[in-house]
Amino acid sequence: MKKELIPVFNLFFVFCSLAGAGCGAMSCKPDRQPEPQIDYSSVVDTGAYFLDVCVDSLDINYHTVHLGDNLSLIFERLGLSPLQTDSIVKATESLIDPKKIRAGNRYYTLTTDGEEPQVKYIIFARTPVDHVVIDLSYPPPGAYLFRKEVMRRQRYLEGSVKSSLWNEIRNRGVDPILAIRLADVYAWQIDFFSIQPEDSFQVLYTEAFIDSVTPMGILSIDGAVFVHGGRSFPAVSFEQDSVTEFFDADGQSLRKTFLKAPLDFFRITSRFTNSRFHPVLKRYRAHHGVDYAAPTGTPVKTIGDGRVVARGFEQGGGGNYLKIQHNGTYTTSYMHLSRFAGNISAGKYVRQGEVIGYVGSTGLSTGPHLDFRVYRNGQPIDPLKMESPPSHPVKPELRDSFEHVKQRLLDKLRTLSAPQDTTAYHVKSNNN
């Protein structure tokens, strides 16, 4: 690994935390993941080096930050003199943010062997990958950034969906963020609220590791095939105009004008119909929308670019609602919201996938859900049957390259797939 020697007084990056946050999981999606509590005592280094420090004659010690600790207390507990402590605290002012020190996190000291051990190095972690090494061997203190090697492994997973994609992937010991990433890829083709027992998938994805065994998150989906309702949906990862997108077998972009649903991974409780028994009014009437049951506060996203043309409260029905006009043909409506997103107002232009409000139970409602409606030329249509044209197909001059990438992906999926048992999960990996 390359070592970058830097005087402490020239370091101007902010130290994230003593234990740091992971790098990938949660690139996954959209939502920020909880900061992991990492036990650095499990880190194993080979040879006579520990995080790029020669430890032939040094002992490696693990320490835990105590409740109420600050840098002065930590350094004093290590046996450093008040003069040494003051010198190190001042030298690392721009390196370590005292507000990020949290009880329970670990750090290292490398000390001389003997009856009166001396601290030669103190090592804190910016992230599980990046470590700041404070060198006390010679005054004044110096520091450098050591970066662990991140390995990339392409992995393969296949299986049938028996309940939900999230549950099936999680139950097999695979990072469930993969389900969110797959849902993003197929947001325009597959309604994940209506997954059927015979649906299945194959996916190639790249995962990051440190120390050869510690997963750091999913970096990318490299290609997939999802079988839904008897139809096969290939997703070919291909770069054009310096942007990597997913395309179908014909080179049409999987990204369409509208998302399939305004929520993630929740169930449908009522569909589009001209005669539904209303649970509050106790009579039959038309229900020209789709009800998505979800907990109060669940984010609601606009299914496409457009302008907010109405925001208000409908006392006799929809409660808090929004209407968005997407073009001269399509308008969508979102009802029973608990509240609106803070920046949403009439006249505002919104982008596809932007959070516009949160699920609630306002108006005539027996429980928290979203009543979602689509209008074409002013007439209500079934949102679950709405079709929208693809955008940005593979350019003619790149067709040969695309066909090569597509064929290589499909051949690899055929090679890796289970020959007979299509309901079993198979996780295979190889180092890139």
Side-chain angles (χ1 to χ4, degrees):
M1 302 299 294
K2 185 177 180 181
K3 178 170 69 175
E4 303 173 28
L5 286 171
I6 311 170
V8 170
F9 52 81
N10 284 336
L11 292 170
F12 292 103
F13 58 86
V14 177
F15 179 72
C16 295
S17 74
L18 292 180
C23 69
M26 290 176 138
S27 94
C28 290
K29 169 82 182 158
D31 299 329
R32 183 180 296 275
Q33 299 300 306
E35 180 177 345
Q37 294 298 307
I38 299 167
D39 183 357
Y40 286 101
S41 65
S42 65
V43 175
V44 177
D45 280 66
T46 58
Y49 285 83
F50 178 78
L51 297 174
D52 210 35
V53 176
C54 181
V55 292
D56 278 341
S57 58
L58 298 176
D59 289 335
I60 304 171
N61 308 282
Y62 305 97
H63 305 269
T64 302
V65 177
H66 298 170
L67 186 65
D69 268 358
N70 56 40
L71 288 179
S72 295
L73 288 175
I74 289 173
F75 294 143
E76 289 174 8
R77 193 160 53 242
L78 293 177
L80 303 182
S81 68
L83 184 62
Q84 287 176 304
T85 296
D86 184 65
S87 174
I88 296 171
V89 169
K90 289 180 178 178
T92 57
E93 284 179 343
S94 62
L95 176 62
I96 299 175
D97 183 354
K99 296 179 182 179
K100 299 295 185 179
I101 297 176
R102 297 172 182 172
N105 290 337
R106 290 177 178 262
Y107 56 97
Y108 313 124
T109 57
L110 306 184
T111 60
T112 57
D113 190 13
E115 295 183 0
E116 297 183 2
Q118 294 182 334
V119 178
K120 294 298 182 180
Y121 296 88
I122 304 173
I123 303 176
F124 295 111
R126 291 179 60 188
T127 72
V129 174
D130 295 335
H131 292 71
V132 177
V133 182
I134 301 173
D135 187 350
L136 306 178
S137 298
Y138 304 97
Y144 62 85
L145 178 66
F146 174 78
R147 173 165 291 177
K148 286 188 174 186
E149 180 182 5
V150 178
M151 296 181 61
R152 295 167 176 256
R153 293 178 186 165
Q154 188 176 68
R155 309 193 72 188
Y156 170 78
L157 180 67
E158 69 172 53
S160 60
V161 184
K162 299 173 184 176
S163 57
S164 72
L165 187 61
W166 175 280
N167 288 336
E168 293 302 323
I169 289 178
R170 182 187 60 183
N171 291 343
R172 299 299 171 170
V174 177
D175 187 347
I177 294 300
L178 180 61
I180 295 178
R181 300 292 291 271
L182 267 176
D184 281 344
V185 171
Y186 288 111
W188 292 265
Q189 285 72 42
I190 297 174
D191 179 4
F192 283 91
F193 299 102
S194 60
I195 290 294
Q196 302 172 22
E198 64 272 17
D199 289 354
S200 62
F201 67 91
Q202 296 174 271
V203 57
L204 278 172
Y205 63 100
T206 297
E207 193 170 10
F209 291 82
I210 58 172
D211 304 313
S212 299
V213 295
T214 305
M216 294 297 295
I218 294 169
L219 298 178
S220 64
I221 288 181
D222 306 320
V225 172
F226 206 107
V227 177
H228 173 60
R231 292 181 58 193
S232 180
F233 296 89
V236 182
S237 177
F238 185 72
E239 181 179 325
Q240 71 174 1
D241 297 330
S242 300
V243 176
T244 299
E245 294 186 58
F246 290 93
F247 299 87
D248 65 17
D250 296 323
Q252 300 293 335
S253 174
L254 295 191
R255 181 177 294 273
K256 294 188 177 182
T257 306
F258 298 122
L259 296 176
K260 272 287 187 179
L263 297 176
D264 290 328
F265 298 103
F266 292 98
R267 63 190 178 90
I268 293 175
T269 55
S270 182
R271 296 174 180 264
F272 186 97
T273 178
N274 288 317
S275 180
R276 183 194 70 158
F277 185 78
H278 195 283
V280 176
L281 299 177
K282 305 300 182 183
R283 59 184 174 85
Y284 286 92
R285 70 174 189 174
H287 181 255
H288 289 158
V290 174
D291 286 349
Y292 294 96
T296 298
T298 299
V300 175
K301 302 178 292 186
T302 173
I303 65 166
D305 293 356
R307 191 171 302 280
V308 178
V309 293
R311 166 187 156 155
F313 184 87
E314 187 178 77
Q315 186 71 40
N320 290 324
Y321 75 96
L322 285 169
K323 284 188 178 180
I324 297 175
Q325 185 168 353
H326 301 283
N327 50 37
T329 303
Y330 289 98
T331 302
T332 54
S333 175
Y334 311 78
M335 295 188 287
H336 303 304
L337 303 173
S338 60
R339 59 189 176 94
F340 306 105
N343 61 343
I344 296 299
S345 60
K348 178 179 173 57
Y349 192 83
V350 292
R351 295 290 185 182
Q352 184 182 71
E354 183 176 343
V355 174
I356 56 174
Y358 301 87
V359 169
S361 188
T362 56
L364 289 181
S365 170
T366 58
H369 72 284
L370 174 71
D371 186 340
F372 173 62
R373 305 192 178 199
V374 177
Y375 300 87
R376 183 172 59 205
N377 297 321
Q379 298 299 312
I381 64 170
D382 188 345
L384 300 180
K385 296 180 180 179
M386 180 176 60
E387 293 288 343
S388 58
S391 59
H392 307 299
V394 172
K395 294 181 176 180
E397 61 269 27
L398 297 176
R399 290 293 309 198
D400 288 344
S401 296
F402 171 76
E403 290 296 328
H404 174 73
V405 170
K406 179 189 74 174
Q407 198 57 51
R408 187 173 58 185
L409 168 68
L410 296 179
D411 288 345
K412 192 167 189 176
L413 291 177
R414 276 193 292 268
T415 300
L416 290 171
S417 65
Q420 294 179 338
D421 185 2
T422 58
T423 63
Y425 276 80
H426 301 267
V427 181
K428 305 175 183 179
S429 67
N430 57 339
N431 297 341
N432 284 345

